[in-house]
Amino acid sequence: MLRQNKKIKGKIKDKLPLLWGATAAVVALGMIVHSVSMFHLFELTPDFANFYQATYLIAHGHLYPFDTVFPHNYPHYGFPFLKSHGEVFTWALAPLIWLSPSGVALLVAQDLAIAGSQLLAALCIHAILQKRGVVTEVITTLVFVFLNPWYYFAAFFDFHLEPFALLFLTALIFSYIDGKRYLAAVLAILVASTGDVPATYLVGVGLGLFLISPSKNRSALFFAAFGLSVFVFDSLFHLNEASSLLSRYGYLAGNKAPLNVGSLLVGVLSHPSIAFETLRGNAKYVAPFLGSGGVIGLLTPLGLAISAVVLMGPILVPNATFLQNYDSFQIIAIEPALAISGALVIAWTGKNRERLLAKVAEAALWLSVVSAVVITYPNLLSAKDFNATVTRGIATDLSRTLRKIPNTAEVIVANGVAGRFAARRLIYPIVSFQNIYVPIWSHTTYVVVSTQGISDPTAMQLRVISHFLLSESGSVRALINTPTVSVYEINSKSVGYYLRFPPTA
């Protein structure tokens, strides 16, 4: 009977990869449905517009696109997209615009990357826990991978390259553990191609894998050295213009420009108490990210190193600005690493002859499960908090407006609904229309203002803006003028001047 039970369990164990594949497919389908809904409701902000503009221009032959999206750079009004974060992987995504000119394929690709990361993490855990029970693997994989809310939060907010970095990073860890070192090296290059921030993930992974077995994993130091080199290169050649180092970390160096990695280090070493106060204030926001991936993973050098590196940047930004639900895409890299690291702990301790460590590991596993449920899962209740609440009626008006605007025209658009308007060379998303100068570079310019979305004008401010535009000159024509959406067409004989929006109460 005992032998028969083992045989049955063995068959179930062999079928688990199929279960994880099916689960990942269901997850991908669910995220795609959500993304398509988000797309049709115009719940896409400048983060999506940034990549949509770049891929659209690249797909149409502009191989060195200019980025006009980031509103916090006004009055600079843009820079070459490559200087945003050194995100060269964007060029590989440009063919998606040929398949889907509307840009929705970008969101679908992001969803597939996230589901793919989950599947790879699940398969890696399966490989590590081959000699452990079915229940242990199922609990580890379901709780720390497929029921981990941070994966889904990353898909709820616009489009970013971090999910692709996550896919490559998870594949790298799996490949290296599986002995496929050359494949891991190729994957490291792909991780770095997604930008300067994901390149730093390689430092944590490289150090973590090396410290697991310094004598056998010396080659892992290549990842750390390569990731650090890419980050330094991007900093030296100003391929991180969108990082806004001064506004985020300037306090560490006394808010003095020019600001770079060196001046930040000097500032932290000179006045460590300033950084410590920020760390202390933001510490409580870190627990959900660690708990969801499994705190048991912190018992390994890999889990500890990747967590330290990935969290270092966000935790030093005052007021936990980058530790909120909508910024999980910047921290998500720790989730598969922690889950895989937790599986390593369980596998290692299972080899202990006296079974004491195995019992301790099992207890740690259940403690991690409890922490995930109690600390992290409540965040699911606020999963929609950061989505722009755009009604279907307004989305219909915006869709009708978008169809009327030619791709050659310049568009000035409210920040919270800017995403889908970015298929053009000139788009200026506006966070606040108060007392701001916007350049007019096209003979035909459209101004799109909506009171629905993230950081958009109030109804009263919209009335002030509408009155201002209509009183400008006879060259302004109102296409839509409602209490919630206003669209204006500006026909200018001259270009190269600035339109100044008045201050509003």
Side-chain angles (χ1 to χ4, degrees):
M1 181 66 106
L2 184 61
R3 185 176 296 177
Q4 188 176 4
N5 286 340
K6 285 186 177 180
K7 193 173 182 179
I8 294 173
K9 289 181 179 179
K11 288 183 178 180
I12 295 174
K13 187 82 170 176
D14 293 339
K15 297 293 184 182
L16 284 179
L18 293 177
L19 173 63
W20 304 140
T23 305
V26 172
V27 163
L29 181 61
M31 287 192 291
I32 289 172
V33 169
H34 176 273
S35 292
V36 171
S37 172
M38 186 169 63
F39 177 85
H40 284 300
L41 288 175
F42 282 77
E43 295 179 345
L44 297 167
T45 72
D47 285 42
F48 176 84
N50 181 45
F51 292 98
Y52 186 25
Q53 182 188 42
T55 51
Y56 177 86
L57 292 176
I58 294 168
H60 287 79
H62 303 279
L63 300 183
Y64 192 62
F66 197 79
D67 187 339
T68 65
V69 169
F70 279 102
H72 59 251
N73 286 288
Y74 296 158
H76 183 233
Y77 300 108
F79 43 72
F81 175 80
L82 184 61
K83 291 190 174 184
S84 174
H85 281 289
E87 296 156 317
V88 298
F89 187 71
T90 305
W91 275 254
L93 295 175
L96 292 176
I97 300 300
W98 300 337
L99 298 174
S100 171
S102 67
V104 70
L106 293 174
L107 297 174
V108 173
Q110 175 176 253
D111 296 333
L112 293 176
I114 293 172
S117 305
Q118 291 176 295
L119 178 58
L120 285 172
L123 294 177
C124 186
I125 291 170
H126 176 75
I128 293 170
L129 297 180
Q130 276 289 348
K131 296 183 179 180
R132 299 308 299 267
V134 173
V135 175
T136 300
E137 180 182 339
V138 169
I139 290 173
T140 302
T141 306
L142 282 181
V143 174
F144 301 138
V145 179
F146 289 111
L147 295 178
N148 186 325
W150 300 118
Y151 287 100
Y152 310 114
F153 284 2
F156 286 171
F157 179 52
D158 274 22
F159 176 89
H160 307 90
L161 289 192
E162 278 78 0
F164 297 91
L166 178 73
L167 176 66
F168 301 141
L169 193 73
T170 308
L172 185 159
I173 295 171
F174 190 5
S175 300
Y176 198 87
I177 291 175
D178 200 34
K180 299 172 183 175
R181 305 296 168 89
Y182 290 111
L183 176 58
V186 173
L187 290 164
I189 295 173
L190 289 174
V191 171
S193 73
T194 59
D196 59 334
V197 175
T200 63
Y201 305 165
L202 294 171
V203 178
V205 168
L207 290 176
L209 290 171
F210 169 72
L211 291 173
I212 285 175
S213 180
S215 60
K216 296 181 180 180
N217 293 349
R218 284 194 295 267
S219 58
L221 290 176
F222 159 78
F223 305 140
F226 178 62
L228 183 61
S229 299
V230 170
F231 181 76
V232 172
F233 177 88
D234 288 349
S235 298
L236 289 176
F237 289 91
H238 306 290
L239 301 183
N240 57 356
E241 294 283 348
S243 294
S244 299
L245 290 178
L246 188 60
S247 62
R248 297 175 184 175
Y249 304 104
Y251 76 99
L252 294 172
N255 291 311
K256 296 178 181 178
L259 191 67
N260 51 47
V261 177
S263 62
L264 285 176
L265 289 175
V266 171
V268 170
L269 294 175
S270 302
H271 303 91
S273 61
I274 298 177
F276 178 75
E277 283 300 314
T278 303
L279 288 172
R280 189 175 66 172
N282 290 344
K284 62 182 178 181
Y285 296 99
V286 172
F289 291 99
L290 297 177
S292 54
V295 291
I296 187 175
L298 294 174
L299 298 176
T300 71
L302 175 61
L304 194 60
I306 187 68
S307 297
V309 170
V310 172
L311 289 169
M312 184 185 303
I315 202 172
L316 283 174
V317 178
N319 303 318
T321 304
F322 291 97
L323 292 170
Q324 307 300 322
N325 290 349
Y326 51 80
D327 280 310
S328 64
F329 68 89
Q330 300 188 87
I331 305 173
I332 194 175
I334 70 175
E335 304 305 328
L338 282 174
I340 292 170
S341 298
L344 287 172
V345 171
I346 296 169
W348 291 337
T349 54
K351 298 176 182 178
N352 185 269
R353 292 181 179 178
E354 302 193 9
R355 311 296 292 174
L356 176 60
L357 287 178
K359 291 180 180 179
V360 172
E362 291 287 349
L365 172 63
W366 284 106
L367 181 63
S368 297
V369 170
V370 171
S371 71
V373 172
V374 174
I375 298 176
T376 305
Y377 287 0
N379 284 279
L380 286 169
L381 299 176
S382 58
K384 292 288 289 182
D385 285 355
F386 49 83
N387 277 94
T389 307
V390 180
T391 63
R392 294 194 178 276
I394 288 184
T396 299
D397 287 340
L398 292 172
S399 182
R400 189 171 73 250
T401 298
L402 182 59
R403 288 194 297 269
K404 291 181 179 179
I405 301 177
N407 295 102
T408 54
E410 177 180 342
V411 171
I412 302 168
V413 58
N415 187 64
V417 294
R420 289 183 58 186
F421 289 89
R424 64 196 68 255
R425 190 173 60 87
L426 296 169
I427 174 175
Y428 296 101
I430 307 299
V431 175
S432 172
F433 280 82
Q434 301 186 57
N435 198 27
I436 189 170
Y437 293 81
V438 181
I440 302 297
W441 299 114
S442 176
H443 289 290
T444 303
T445 301
Y446 292 83
V447 180
V448 182
V449 190
S450 169
T451 59
Q452 294 190 355
I454 301 173
S455 304
D456 283 336
T458 64
M460 187 275 293
Q461 290 172 342
L462 187 145
R463 287 196 298 271
V464 173
I465 294 167
S466 300
H467 177 74
F468 159 70
L469 286 171
L470 291 174
S471 64
E472 268 293 281
S473 67
S475 62
V476 177
R477 183 164 65 100
L479 302 182
I480 298 177
N481 192 359
T482 71
T484 53
V485 178
S486 292
V487 181
Y488 300 92
E489 180 184 83
I490 303 175
N491 294 294
S492 307
K493 293 183 179 180
S494 61
V495 297
Y497 68 94
Y498 288 85
L499 181 66
R500 177 184 177 270
F501 286 89
T504 58

